[in-house]
Amino acid sequence: YTTLFRSKFIAVQDSVHHGINSVSIGSSVFTGKDSTASVFLLFHYGDKTTEQVIVPMVKKKGKWIMR
């Protein structure tokens, strides 16, 4: 499932934005009460546009994972 989703996602980004040139971290917000965070990723596309994607994270057994 993950490989299929990734392949479709990349194909769409290639056709709409001429691919993804790079990904950077814009910022992050941490909540200590429940060990969660939101990471704001910036997708820099081949057509020179940028899109912000929010990735919810949770800390499990000392490691940060996507929710």
Side-chain angles (χ1 to χ4, degrees):
Y1 173 79
T2 303
T3 303
L4 178 61
F5 175 78
R6 183 175 35 229
S7 296
K8 286 184 179 183
F9 176 79
I10 291 170
V12 169
Q13 300 313 309
D14 283 344
S15 67
V16 174
H17 295 291
H18 306 292
I20 300 171
N21 283 346
S22 64
V23 178
S24 62
I25 298 174
S27 63
S28 61
V29 178
F30 172 71
T31 306
K33 179 180 175 184
D34 57 358
S35 293
T36 61
S38 293
V39 178
F40 298 84
L41 299 179
L42 298 173
F43 283 37
H44 305 278
Y45 295 107
D47 63 0
K48 305 300 182 206
T49 60
T50 302
E51 179 180 4
Q52 179 174 273
V53 177
I54 302 169
V55 180
M57 307 288 287
V58 63
K59 194 171 188 178
K60 296 269 185 169
K61 298 181 182 179
K63 293 185 179 184
W64 287 99
I65 59 172
M66 295 188 303
R67 266 196 277 170

